[in-house]
Amino acid sequence: MRGNKNVFFTTNDLVKINFHDYGIQLNQPLILIGGYSSSEVTWFAQIETFVNAGYRVITYDHRSHGDSQQVDYGLTLHRLAMDLKELIDYLQLKNVVLIGHSMGAATIMAYEELFTDENVSAIITEDQAPTFFKSADWLNGQYGKTLTELSVFIDDFPKTRLIQKKLSDSVKRTLGHGMKPFDFKRYRPLLQNVILQDWRPELGQEKKPHLFFAGEKSPIFPAIHAQAARELQNNPNSEVQIFEGCGHILHLEEIEKFNQAVIVFLNKIKKD
């Protein structure tokens, strides 16, 4: 399901951000937020399902990603969070559901730090731990990376196999047609900024229901990060789901399972 031609809004630091808006405008808005180096096309298999479930669905490209303007400034999570806030304000959205994959999940945490979760109905994060670092007070010090190891991680990231399950030919074709080239060297500073963050204190401030997704075979994080993050968050309706056999991009590796899990969770919290 595709929208019309590319639509843009301009941020307060003069960056053109590409977005698409699907469904009935009066329905509850659901924003799909991509990861580092991805573009909005990676959400193509979610749009129709979520629109049919009664949501207004918005996808967009981060600055310097996809069809958004390529710039060498504002390459920080907090600037991405400001871009998200400006998109919400531009579309005059209320009571939004935020779904973020990887860096998109970290963007949500930065958004909440800056603007709180007052205008947020629910949060869904996909395979993103609150910290990359190894420390005694996170996962018993058994997982994570040192600063030196993270530097190697950044070097290796463009070659990392993020997906563990085989994608269908139709999914591959859609991604191949829609994905835009990404300059990993030019935008290395953004990934450097992402890995230096620690969102554990912010999770303790969250008030809204949060669904934590993780991939059992993710090459980025151990799956146990999801439960550990859930235990930092105080909303009784928050949940954890681990996708067996999946890598880092659950919404492409298990499309139907991902879509239904999101809908079931959102329906459940509406009743509570």
Side-chain angles (χ1 to χ4, degrees), residues 63-248:
R63 61 178 56 210
S64 303
H65 289 65
D67 286 317
S68 289
Q69 187 176 349
Q70 309 294 300
V71 294
D72 294 305
Y73 58 91
L75 300 179
T76 69
L77 270 178
H78 286 89
R79 181 62 247 193
L80 298 190
M82 178 64 78
D83 295 345
L84 173 60
K85 175 65 161 57
E86 291 190 39
L87 174 62
I88 290 171
D89 290 347
Y90 179 80
L91 294 174
Q92 299 181 319
L93 305 177
K94 302 295 182 184
N95 198 33
V96 297
V97 175
L98 299 177
I99 301 182
H101 167 246
S102 193
M103 186 184 74
T107 301
I108 294 171
M109 300 308 300
Y111 173 91
E112 290 184 298
E113 183 177 44
L114 292 173
F115 308 109
T116 77
D117 57 11
E118 182 178 355
N119 192 31
V120 176
S121 171
I123 303 111
I124 299 173
T125 53
E126 180 186 350
D127 209 54
Q128 177 65 47
T131 178
F132 281 81
F133 282 99
K134 179 182 289 186
S135 62
D137 61 350
W138 176 245
L139 305 180
N140 297 317
Q142 300 298 307
Y143 299 94
K145 294 178 172 60
T146 65
L147 195 56
T148 300
E149 290 170 335
L150 284 171
S151 180
V152 175
F153 168 81
I154 293 174
D155 291 337
D156 291 344
F157 185 82
K159 305 185 293 288
T160 302
R161 181 185 175 189
L162 299 178
I163 291 174
Q164 299 300 313
K165 287 202 169 183
K166 186 178 180 180
L167 303 183
S168 70
D169 290 340
S170 63
V171 169
K172 290 179 181 178
R173 282 194 297 270
T174 301
L175 295 176
H177 177 73
M179 284 289 286
K180 306 296 180 181
F182 185 79
D183 192 334
F184 288 94
K185 183 177 180 180
R186 181 179 178 184
Y187 300 123
R188 179 187 176 98
L190 177 57
L191 186 54
Q192 289 175 320
N193 181 263
V194 171
I195 67 172
L196 292 176
Q197 309 302 320
D198 186 346
W199 302 113
R200 288 178 292 170
E202 194 60 36
L203 282 171
Q205 298 300 308
E206 260 187 3
K207 299 179 179 64
K208 303 301 172 66
H210 189 148
L211 173 56
F212 298 85
F213 282 129
E216 180 200 15
K217 295 185 177 180
S218 171
I220 309 297
F221 302 108
I224 59 172
H225 78 79
Q227 183 59 42
R230 166 67 186 94
E231 291 170 3
L232 297 172
Q233 209 259 10
N234 295 316
N235 190 292
N237 295 316
S238 294
E239 296 182 3
V240 171
Q241 291 196 39
I242 311 297
F243 279 37
E244 293 184 5
C246 283
H248 185 55

Side-chain angles (χ1 to χ4, degrees), residues 2-11 15-22 25 30-32 39-41 47 56-63 65-69 83-84 86-93:
R2 299 295 299 167
N4 296 322
K5 295 180 180 179
N6 288 22
V7 183
F8 298 87
F9 80 95
T10 303
T11 65
V15 179
K16 292 175 64 178
I17 300 294
N18 168 60
F19 73 95
H20 285 88
D21 189 351
Y22 307 88
Q25 290 201 348
L30 190 160
I31 305 178
L32 301 171
S39 70
E40 63 170 352
V41 70
I47 296 166
R56 176 183 180 182
V57 177
I58 295 98
T59 64
Y60 74 102
D61 289 323
H62 295 294
R63 61 178 56 210
H65 289 65
D67 286 317
S68 289
Q69 187 176 349
D83 295 345
L84 173 60
E86 291 190 39
L87 174 62
I88 290 171
D89 290 347
Y90 179 80
L91 294 174
Q92 299 181 319
L93 305 177

